Amino acid sequence: MNTKIRKSIENNNNNNNNNNNNNNNNNNNNNNNNKKLKIEKEEEIKEIDSFIIKSPIGALKITADDKSLHGIRLYESKNLDEECKNKTNNKIILQINQELNQYFDGKLQEFKTPINLELGTEFQRKVWSHLKTIPYGSTLSYSSVAIQLGFEKKFARAIASCCRLNLFLLVIPCHRVISSTGKVIGYSGKKGIDKQFILSNIEKNKI
């Protein structure tokens, strides 16, 4: 066989082998990336526990994973007595349950349980974070909160909406926000006005 032809064939074979090796490497990289994606997705899936308790403002439903609180909301049920018998080993729920008991006894003014603020929108997170700075036993108007956050007074309604949609009752003290006339116009919706008075009395009596 002609020497030039032989070398040409050998070069082609080498190129094909290199291409095959590159393809194999790409496939391996893709497989590794897929495995990494799968692991990341599995890590994102967290088990959410729930717990029902009775309180001076009614039943509360607490939800949390093993790292942070996902919510404290008013709760209604026809089987409340049975549901309140539930037990949990979730450390976050156990922590907030203890803090809630201390708060209602007038022995706690600031909650330490970590909360997952990422569950709210960017605007809600901004408002909720600011509400946490309102001192125990004090109140602010919706318009005052808006101004302190750098907005105009007309944003008072947006602030009120954030209070109504507050996922973390008590921990984020939306009960300390009232109208500019000093009136209580709603707590977790208008049905909760009486509950806001209860919380206000707890705090004012313990200052």
Side-chain angles (χ1 to χ4, degrees), residues 17 150 162 193:
N17 289 333
C162 287
I193 291 178

Side-chain angles (χ1 to χ4, degrees), residues 124-135:
Q124 287 172 339
R125 293 196 299 270
K126 187 172 184 178
V127 174
W128 293 345
S129 295
H130 189 74
L131 297 187
K132 289 195 71 177
T133 67
I134 303 175

Side-chain angles (χ1 to χ4, degrees), residues 48 73 89 101 122:
I48 307 298
R73 301 289 289 172
N89 293 320
N101 287 331
E122 183 179 352

Side-chain angles (χ1 to χ4, degrees), residues 67-85:
K67 293 184 178 179
S68 62
L69 191 66
H70 281 230
I72 301 178
R73 301 289 289 172
L74 294 172
Y75 182 74
E76 294 182 0
S77 172
K78 294 180 180 179
N79 301 314
L80 189 59
D81 289 335
E82 286 299 316
E83 291 184 54
C84 286
K85 292 179 182 178

Side-chain angles (χ1 to χ4, degrees), residues 15-185:
N15 288 335
N16 288 333
N17 289 333
N18 288 333
N19 288 334
N20 288 334
N21 289 333
N22 288 334
N23 288 333
N24 288 333
N25 289 334
N26 288 334
N27 288 334
N28 288 333
N29 288 335
N30 288 333
N31 289 335
N32 289 334
N33 288 335
N34 288 335
K35 286 179 182 178
K36 187 177 179 182
L37 259 171
K38 186 177 180 181
I39 291 171
E40 287 176 350
K41 286 182 179 179
E42 287 175 352
E43 289 177 348
E44 289 174 3
I45 299 173
K46 295 180 180 179
E47 184 176 348
I48 307 298
D49 295 314
S50 63
F51 193 69
I52 312 298
I53 65 169
K54 292 181 179 180
S55 80
I57 61 171
L60 299 172
K61 183 174 183 179
I62 304 169
T63 53
D65 59 26
D66 61 346
K67 293 184 178 179
S68 62
L69 191 66
H70 281 230
I72 301 178
R73 301 289 289 172
L74 294 172
Y75 182 74
E76 294 182 0
S77 172
K78 294 180 180 179
N79 301 314
L80 189 59
D81 289 335
E82 286 299 316
E83 291 184 54
C84 286
K85 292 179 182 178
N86 59 357
K87 296 181 180 180
T88 182
N89 293 320
N90 184 297
K91 62 181 182 180
I92 298 296
I93 291 179
L94 293 174
Q95 180 181 352
I96 190 62
N97 188 36
Q98 181 181 30
E99 288 187 342
L100 286 170
N101 287 331
Q102 292 173 341
Y103 171 83
F104 287 122
D105 287 340
K107 298 176 181 178
L108 181 140
Q109 296 188 2
E110 183 180 355
F111 292 90
K112 301 294 185 182
T113 304
I115 61 177
N116 186 357
L117 279 177
E118 294 303 314
L119 296 171
T121 65
E122 183 179 352
F123 181 71
Q124 287 172 339
R125 293 196 299 270
K126 187 172 184 178
V127 174
W128 293 345
S129 295
H130 189 74
L131 297 187
K132 289 195 71 177
T133 67
I134 303 175
Y136 181 91
S138 302
T139 57
L140 276 179
S141 68
Y142 298 105
S143 57
S144 294
V145 173
I147 291 171
Q148 288 180 6
L149 285 170
F151 300 110
E152 297 179 12
K153 281 187 177 181
K154 63 182 180 181
F155 275 82
R157 285 191 176 184
I159 303 300
S161 178
C162 287
C163 290
R164 179 175 57 82
L165 297 174
N166 178 13
L167 297 177
F168 308 94
L169 296 183
L170 302 168
V171 177
I172 293 177
C174 58
H175 58 276
R176 296 174 191 159
V177 188
I178 57 178
S179 72
S180 56
T181 61
K183 292 182 179 180
V184 173
I185 59 175

